[in-house]
Amino acid sequence: MANEDYTLLVVDDNENNRELLRRRLTKLNYGVEVAEDGRQALEMLGNRSYDLVLLDIHMPELNGFEVLERMRQDTVWRRIPV
């Protein structure tokens, strides 16, 4: 598969980090979507499939560990590399 066949989800509460990762990964021809917190990430996961999730650990409300725990409890999401 070519890079453009992969869609990545970048989750980070820091706007600069999200934008930096989005730009770099887009230049490598990946499809990239971004979420600004754990709640938004879980909502986005419920609406479409992703091939990889890049997940920040330190976020308000739901931190990265909590998001990962919820992903691992779901039969579909648990297969997504984080």
Side-chain angles (χ1 to χ4, degrees):
M1 287 176 61
N3 288 354
E4 58 266 7
D5 295 331
Y6 293 98
T7 302
L8 314 181
L9 177 60
V10 173
V11 186
D12 199 313
D13 61 320
N14 182 300
E15 183 178 0
N16 292 330
N17 290 345
R18 287 192 313 270
E19 184 59 20
L20 175 71
L21 284 167
R22 187 196 61 74
R23 280 186 285 145
R24 289 189 177 190
L25 293 167
T26 299
K27 282 184 181 181
L28 294 171
N29 294 321
Y30 289 102
V32 180
E33 295 189 8
V34 297
E36 53 188 61
D37 59 40
R39 291 194 191 285
Q40 184 181 21
L42 292 174
E43 182 179 314
M44 292 174 74
L45 284 163
N47 292 327
R48 69 161 302 162
S49 62
Y50 295 94
D51 298 293
L52 176 73
V53 175
L54 298 175
L55 183 60
D56 182 24
I57 296 299
H58 301 287
M59 295 184 292
E61 291 187 51
L62 284 176
N63 67 42
F65 291 118
E66 293 166 319
V67 173
L68 181 61
E69 182 178 327
R70 291 187 187 189
M71 288 180 68
R72 294 303 177 238
Q73 292 172 356
D74 185 276
T75 57
V76 174
W77 297 350
R78 75 171 53 140
R79 298 177 185 175
I80 302 171
V82 178

